[in-house]
Amino acid sequence: MSLTPRFPVFLHGGDYNPDQWLKYPDVLEEDVRLMKKAKVNCVSLGIFAWAALEPEEGRYEFGWMDAVIDRLWKAGIRVDLATPSGARPAWMAQKYPEVLRVDDRFQRRHFGGRHNHCPSSPVYREKVRAIDTALAERYAKHPGVILWHISNEFSGDCYCPLCQEKWRAWLREKYGTLEALNDRWWTGFWSMAYTDWSQIEPPSPVGQDANPAMWVDWRRFSTHQCKDFILMEKEAVHSVCPEIPVTANLMQRFFDYDYFDLSEALDVVSWDSYPGWGLDDVKAASEHAMTHDLMRSFKDRPFLLMESTPSLVNWQEVNRVKRPGMHLLSSMLPLAHGSQSVMYFQWRKGRGGSEMFHGAVVGHDGTADTRVFKEVRQVGEALEKLAPLYGAPQEKPRVCILYDYSCLWALHYAQMGSEAVKDYPETVNAWYRALWKMGVAVDFRDMREETDLSGYALVIAPTLFMFRGGIEEKLRRFTEQGGTLAATYGCGVIDGDGRAFLSLTPHALTDVFGAVTEELDVLYPSQSNAMIMDGREWPVTGVCEVIRTEDAEVLGTYRDDFYAGRPCLTRNRFGKGEAWYLAARTDEAALTALLDGICRSLGIPRALSVPLPEGVVARDRGGCVFLQNYSGREQTVTLPDPRTDLLTGASLSGEITLPVCGVMALARG
Ligand code: GAL
């Protein structure tokens, strides 16, 4: 399927901000020439262009944009057209301060920066709707416009009186009565009971900051606010022309909103991926591979890589340039995981402003002679060669990892344990990384009502602290009917409202695991324990849950402490399936050993059926295997069958050599 039916090819390009360059007509002409040379076929236009589009209230200036879109169109370059709501003109902030966000200390922001609007402000909504409608009326019929880019990287919350009113209305709708709210938020503790709806403010560091259930609700409400704003913008452009799909660019390791929920408002999921290359490339690649799979999972469809850097960023503590070859390798990572694009921030470096030193395809020298430019062109060429993969059907993964935003928030806000228990994304990534290195494809699912686990052979539930949406019933049925379930410490402790289950844990699943949790112990970073399994010791750090078994078989035990000799890894047959429970935080080698055994016994396919050296990963997309070398060293791999590298046309068999940062797209035959 194509995400951009008006232009069904792999997109290559990125953020194009000609509004910075309107006084440099030669630069604008040169841009198109250089874009052709770089094999750019699509740009994201006008993302922060409101001040240039509406320099005075109600006076639109579309002339410059007409010229840009036409010039691009003549050169065969398509447009992902942005709505400009990510930043607003100074006149608007001055005349209508209510468009600006109020922070969590209840202070109204001043003009400046971006991503700081109030999502409730009727004035802001009216202004956004008006400019979105005007953009749609002017450009939606233009054949060069293929996608709507709604705003930019939505994030954060607003604490203004209007948003507070909406928060209270949302709570009323959710809980019905104050009694129910007080019960769910457990406000009997510390005299926190509310006796009137008007007493409820949002959680904040200067007010109610210690109630985890309230914080989780606030994040859900914030998601709802953002989704509502996106739907308003979507409606504005679709009421003119419903044909062009809508996206909004999402982010990595994002915390503020529930992306499974937010994605319902989008036609196309896209995201901005900025790994910190040059330190631990395998780890960086695994984290971003995981986010690619998460993005694909939100809608169970391909996604777009909306932004990445052609060379470096300017906002890390250490901003390294990509080493030679890394640009092609890192651009093939999203492709391998289902992206229909490789896009950048930004096309040309600005002369000033906060991002003047951020990487761009064209630098301040304005030429095509740079290493960066040449490597970008190489990606453009690669995407053309990979055209046969564009619509190729993808086999459904047989492994599912549960990743749930409410669980992420609940762990974050819970006052307990240590960072080792609470760093949910890292815990999930550790499991993901082991599978990714084996070449096993993975889907992500959350705990929403409609989640269906029935098609999977293996479901992994890392630190599934919260149970909601009937997940315990689904996991029980899944195992009973023959599935393999693997869970870890901290499982099934609180309900969807954030209250502790008054039961043995993992709640309602102790018979499925044949084990019961007794205590959750954590270690200081300088401490360690070990799991003894098959006569071998596997290092344990951070978390040691003390469990007792009922029916489960004990496969690993603790080496030290008062729980020495007690179970650490268990397996229980339940119905036609089995449930594994890993009570401690082990290293990657232990997870790999465990998952390797499970995947083999379930016959789960791998991208390549041969052992791969450390740092070399294989990923199957539509029958083509992307073999990628993140190890920083030359590596050899023995192919199980003859292949053709789509990137070079070479026929390969037997032992092949992958250079540093090498990547191949290996089609069968
Ligand atoms: C993204 C943002 C871009 C640019 C880029 C720099 O998060 O959407 O506008 O700021 O980061 O890396």
Side-chain angles (χ1 to χ4, degrees):
M1 61 131 353
S2 171
L3 301 173
T4 49
R6 279 190 179 180
F7 192 49
V9 302
F10 286 125
L11 307 179
H12 185 228
D15 284 22
Y16 182 38
N17 301 307
D19 38 314
Q20 298 176 75
W21 296 99
L22 296 180
K23 292 201 191 102
Y24 300 73
D26 296 352
V27 168
L28 298 180
E29 290 289 337
E30 178 66 353
D31 275 341
V32 175
R33 191 185 72 81
L34 290 175
M35 282 178 191
K36 293 301 293 172
K37 196 157 189 181
K39 297 212 165 271
V40 161
N41 62 13
C42 176
V43 296
S44 302
L45 182 68
I47 295 177
F48 295 113
W50 203 334
L53 289 170
E54 192 180 359
E56 278 171 37
E57 185 168 13
R59 181 168 68 78
Y60 293 135
E61 284 280 356
F62 288 128
W64 66 269
M65 192 173 253
D66 294 349
V68 169
I69 294 182
D70 282 341
R71 203 179 300 122
L72 292 166
W73 173 244
K74 280 192 199 118
I77 299 165
R78 307 308 203 272
V79 171
D80 161 30
L81 189 58
T83 66
S85 60
R88 61 224 54 81
W91 61 257
M92 193 189 298
Q94 187 176 41
K95 184 162 177 199
Y96 308 105
E98 68 156 86
V99 303
L100 297 172
R101 189 167 289 185
V102 170
D103 69 17
D104 63 0
R105 294 180 170 260
F106 303 95
Q107 299 281 327
R108 176 86 59 189
R109 298 276 300 256
H110 288 230
F111 173 68
R114 54 180 183 166
H115 305 147
N116 52 12
H117 66 270
C118 164
S120 304
S121 157
V123 174
Y124 197 54
R125 285 180 163 243
E126 183 200 310
K127 296 286 174 206
V128 170
R129 180 179 279 281
I131 196 155
D132 288 4
T133 308
L135 281 166
E137 281 169 349
R138 196 160 185 107
Y139 300 114
K141 293 269 157 20
H142 195 298
V145 176
I146 60 164
L147 185 67
W148 283 110
H149 184 296
I150 298 294
S151 200
N152 193 67
E153 291 191 341
F154 283 101
S155 64
D157 320 309
C158 177
Y159 283 67
C160 79
L162 294 167
C163 286
Q164 290 199 40
E165 269 315 311
K166 290 204 167 168
W167 160 237
R168 287 184 277 272
W170 184 86
L171 291 170
R172 268 185 122 118
E173 165 91 29
K174 174 165 182 184
Y175 291 112
T177 64
L178 265 183
E179 199 188 349
L181 175 141
N182 280 317
D183 178 46
R184 302 297 156 69
W185 286 3
W186 204 251
T187 57
F189 188 63
W190 285 3
S191 248
M192 292 297 155
Y194 294 101
T195 53
D196 193 277
W197 291 99
S198 63
Q199 295 159 355
I200 307 175
E201 290 183 334
S204 125
V206 294
Q208 187 71 279
D209 73 339
N211 187 326
M214 183 187 196
W215 271 114
V216 170
D217 265 347
W218 175 247
R219 297 258 57 83
R220 289 169 174 158
F221 166 71
S222 240
T223 303
H224 159 80
Q225 286 281 84
C226 179
K227 189 174 177 184
D228 192 58
F229 194 87
I230 293 176
L231 287 171
M232 180 273 293
E233 290 212 61
K234 184 178 181 182
E235 206 266 324
V237 294
H238 275 182
S239 62
V240 177
C241 173
E243 203 181 292
I244 303 177
V246 157
T247 192
N249 47 341
L250 309 181
M251 286 178 270
Q252 66 202 46
R253 277 224 177 192
F254 192 67
F255 181 81
D256 300 356
Y257 312 138
D258 179 336
Y259 272 168
F260 276 99
D261 188 0
L262 203 71
S263 300
E264 289 174 1
L266 307 174
D267 300 318
V268 170
V269 167
S270 66
W271 82 287
D272 304 341
S273 173
Y274 290 100
W277 299 116
L279 185 59
D280 182 345
D281 288 344
V282 180
K283 181 149 194 327
S286 81
E287 261 197 38
H288 285 255
M290 168 170 145
T291 314
H292 292 312
D293 279 334
L294 198 53
M295 296 286 159
R296 183 182 47 72
S297 297
F298 292 147
K299 293 186 96 65
D300 229 350
R301 290 167 72 173
F303 60 92
L304 296 177
L305 177 73
M306 189 54 85
E307 290 179 29
S308 60
T309 180
S311 55
L312 44 61
V313 297
N314 69 333
W315 44 261
Q316 300 270 21
E317 256 173 59
V318 177
N319 299 294
R320 298 203 83 187
V321 299
K322 285 181 177 172
R323 319 327 284 170
M326 182 46 99
H327 185 56
L328 179 64
L329 173 61
S330 63
S331 298
M332 292 302 104
L333 179 64
L335 255 277
H337 288 261
S339 178
Q340 290 188 353
S341 67
V342 176
M343 309 277 280
Y344 313 117
F345 177 86
Q346 61 176 330
W347 164 250
R348 181 188 281 272
K349 273 188 192 178
R351 286 198 74 178
S354 69
E355 297 188 316
M356 62 193 284
F357 297 117
H358 190 285
V361 180
V362 180
H364 291 135
D365 64 325
T367 74
D369 303 331
T370 60
R371 177 175 75 90
V372 169
F373 191 97
K374 289 175 193 154
E375 293 199 27
V376 164
R377 182 186 160 86
Q378 201 189 354
V379 170
E381 286 164 353
L383 292 175
E384 287 176 358
K385 291 178 189 145
L386 294 173
L389 293 185
Y390 186 76
Q394 187 62 38
E395 237 176 72
K396 179 105 191 103
R398 299 196 57 217
V399 179
C400 168
I401 300 183
L402 293 173
Y403 185 87
D404 187 273
Y405 283 84
S406 283
C407 187
L408 166 77
W409 299 327
L411 275 163
H412 175 84
Y413 292 118
Q415 293 155 49
M416 57 97 176
S418 69
E419 208 33 44
V421 194
K422 287 155 62 84
D423 192 356
Y424 182 60
E426 177 48 37
T427 307
V428 174
N429 188 242
W431 285 82
Y432 176 85
R433 191 159 57 236
L435 291 162
W436 175 72
K437 286 183 173 177
M438 286 177 214
V440 170
V442 169
D443 272 347
F444 287 93
R445 290 288 177 267
D446 74 346
M447 290 190 272
R448 67 197 38 233
E449 305 278 338
E450 52 271 41
T451 292
D452 178 9
L453 302 175
S454 57
Y456 298 106
L458 170 63
V459 170
I460 302 175
T463 323
L464 205 64
F465 184 60
M466 174 183 275
F467 277 1
R468 67 182 188 98
I471 195 71
E472 54 275 50
E473 257 321 297
K474 288 180 195 170
L475 293 175
R476 165 180 296 276
R477 217 172 321 124
F478 169 76
T479 316
E480 210 164 36
Q481 291 174 355
T484 297
L485 170 64
T488 70
Y489 51 84
C491 184
V493 178
I494 62 171
D495 66 18
D497 294 315
R499 296 177 307 182
F501 286 117
L502 298 178
S503 69
L504 297 173
T505 63
H507 173 70
L509 294 180
T510 53
D511 57 334
V512 174
F513 289 107
V516 174
T517 297
E518 289 187 355
E519 294 181 76
L520 183 71
D521 192 22
V522 291
L523 308 184
Y524 286 102
S526 58
Q527 298 176 323
S528 62
N529 198 326
M531 173 169 77
I532 300 177
M533 185 168 70
D534 295 334
R536 188 174 155 189
E537 286 193 4
W538 304 84
V540 161
T541 53
V543 191
C544 296
E545 199 178 54
V546 185
I547 62 172
R548 67 167 189 268
T549 48
E550 298 198 319
D551 306 315
E553 185 186 346
V554 177
L555 300 173
T557 53
Y558 286 110
R559 183 191 63 195
D560 303 329
D561 222 314
F562 71 89
Y563 32 84
R566 298 205 36 189
C568 181
L569 174 69
T570 62
R571 178 176 56 189
N572 193 42
R573 300 236 31 113
F574 186 79
K576 295 189 199 141
E578 59 185 31
W580 294 70
Y581 196 82
L582 180 59
R585 188 177 233 202
T586 56
D587 68 355
E588 192 177 306
L591 288 184
T592 303
L594 176 65
L595 285 167
D596 184 55
I598 293 178
C599 289
R600 279 183 201 287
S601 73
L602 295 174
I604 290 172
R606 302 176 190 212
L608 272 189
S609 56
V610 292
L612 296 173
E614 174 62 23
V616 173
V617 291
R619 168 79 186 198
D620 182 294
R621 173 177 177 155
C624 171
V625 173
F626 284 82
L627 192 62
Q628 309 151 65
N629 180 7
Y630 296 100
S631 70
R633 282 189 300 278
E634 186 179 284
Q635 299 283 7
T636 55
V637 172
T638 306
L639 293 179
D641 45 40
R643 300 271 171 158
T644 303
D645 180 5
L646 295 181
L647 297 176
T648 59
S651 301
L652 302 165
S653 58
E655 190 175 283
I656 57 165
T657 303
L658 272 170
V660 175
C661 288
V663 55
M664 294 174 175
L666 301 172
R668 277 185 194 280

